[in-house]
Amino acid sequence: MSSSILEAMIVASLTGGSILRKYFEKENFSVIQKSVSYDLVTNIDKESQEGINAILTQRFPDIPVIGEEGSIQTGRQTRAFYVDPLDGTFNFVHHYPFFSVSLGYWEENEPVAGVVFDPIRRDLFFAQKGEGAFFNGERIYASDRTSLEGSYLVTGFPYKEGKHPRIEKEIRAVMKLTDLRVLGSAALELCYVAKGIIDGYWEYDLSSWDLAGGVLIAQEAGAVVTNPSGVDFNLFEGDVLAAPPVIHQKLLEVIKSEQLGI
Ligand code: IPD
Ligand code: CA
Ligand code: CA
């Protein structure tokens, strides 16, 4: 991959992030409900998307952009940028400073580059396939913890109510072993797995733009990424389990035994 793709993604993430930071401080934005009361979008999500798309398409007019708040189609579909211009809108709207801009570049269903930017902390995470994961320029690694007891585990709640019984059972099982958090930005949660802050993370029903960047960053930091049944990760199915190898195996056992009703 040409390094200019990664560079453009970084510039685009900083541009989107500066838009988010500006309005987060001013608290001046309008909110629209998409599905349930906590599935929100603001005019700032859209402004961030426009800023990001303008940079990506100016530099790479032949590469499609699949964005949560606006896509740009080109003739070629075997590669694309997947963009979430504001991952964590519910946090943003409630003035909770944990959200991000997420970009992933995939070719032939394989991740090639990922960039996630937290504009409040000015934390920049990025990775290229085979070249490691980086946080503000420093190489990062997933945690070396091997015990689930006392580990920092994170999940999220799907918007579709039909999926709730499944996650509720899994949460009950996990909470017999350790505490659990829901932080509200899938992309940033994956980066915290990459940085060894979060020991394990799983969630259902996400979208390609939530996952395309963070999944590669977590993998390049040494985490194992599958779906929560242990099957190969699929960007378009939206279910993910990311953790360093031993925790991944143990967490998978707990979650799967709940799925199978054991
Ligand atoms: C949401 C966040 C959240 C996850 C939701 C996503 P959005 O993205 O990633 O952590 O639990 O499922 O939709 O809507 O804020 O871009
Ligand atoms: Ca999102
Ligand atoms: Ca979003």
Side-chain angles (χ1 to χ4, degrees):
M1 186 197 77
S2 85
S3 62
S4 60
I5 289 190
L6 179 68
E7 275 166 39
M9 290 166 71
I10 290 174
V11 171
S13 77
L14 299 177
T15 300
S18 70
I19 292 168
L20 302 185
R21 191 168 51 240
K22 182 173 91 187
Y23 287 99
F24 184 72
E25 283 160 6
K26 282 189 189 160
E27 289 188 72
N28 174 19
F29 48 83
S30 55
V31 184
I32 298 164
Q33 186 175 325
K34 286 163 91 179
S35 58
V36 290
S37 67
Y38 48 93
D39 184 10
L40 307 175
V41 64
T42 72
N43 57 317
I44 312 311
D45 297 59
K46 293 182 177 159
E47 195 173 321
S48 172
Q49 182 85 59
E50 281 162 19
I52 292 167
N53 288 8
I55 290 167
L56 295 178
T57 50
Q58 192 206 2
R59 302 271 293 271
F60 298 98
D62 294 337
I63 304 180
V65 180
I66 315 295
E68 183 172 21
E69 311 308 337
S71 297
I72 295 167
Q73 300 299 335
T74 70
R76 292 194 51 177
Q77 297 299 335
T78 55
R79 55 182 187 158
F81 293 112
Y82 295 88
V83 176
D84 191 336
L86 168 47
D87 186 49
T89 301
F90 191 72
N91 283 346
F92 182 89
V93 166
H94 285 270
H95 218 72
Y96 182 74
F98 190 86
F99 51 85
S100 59
V101 177
S102 170
L103 292 95
Y105 172 63
W106 286 53
E107 284 179 358
E108 313 286 356
N109 288 329
E110 291 294 331
V112 178
V115 174
V116 175
F117 181 53
D118 168 349
I120 299 301
R121 295 167 191 79
R122 291 177 161 80
D123 285 348
L124 178 69
F125 296 85
F126 68 82
Q128 289 182 91
K129 182 80 184 168
E131 294 188 20
F134 293 83
F135 164 72
N136 292 343
E138 301 281 327
R139 187 89 192 252
I140 51 171
Y141 300 91
S143 117
D144 57 5
R145 185 180 278 275
T146 55
S147 168
L148 279 184
E149 283 80 2
S151 60
Y152 196 122
L153 301 183
V154 170
T155 188
F157 301 119
Y159 295 139
K160 289 182 202 139
E161 233 179 274
K163 291 279 173 77
H164 286 182
R166 176 178 182 166
I167 188 82
E168 282 164 15
K169 279 166 65 187
E170 294 170 4
I171 287 172
R172 261 197 296 278
V174 168
M175 289 192 77
K176 289 180 189 149
L177 301 167
T178 191
D179 206 352
L180 197 58
R181 297 284 184 270
V182 174
L183 303 179
S185 168
L188 213 44
E189 287 159 331
L190 285 163
C191 291
Y192 277 31
V193 171
K195 196 162 182 284
I197 298 171
I198 293 175
D199 297 305
Y201 163 68
W202 85 107
E203 185 163 355
Y204 296 98
D205 267 356
L206 293 161
S207 299
S208 56
W209 44 73
D210 300 314
L211 295 162
V215 157
L216 180 65
I217 295 168
Q219 284 173 336
E220 288 295 322
V224 178
V225 180
T226 62
N227 86 3
S229 304
V231 174
D232 285 352
F233 174 75
N234 181 319
L235 183 63
F236 306 102
E237 286 172 359
D239 303 333
V240 68
L241 167 57
V246 179
I247 296 284
H248 183 277
Q249 190 199 332
K250 291 182 174 174
L251 187 53
L252 186 58
E253 276 166 26
V254 175
I255 290 174
K256 270 184 94 172
S257 63
E258 282 311 309
Q259 291 169 3
L260 299 171
I262 299 165

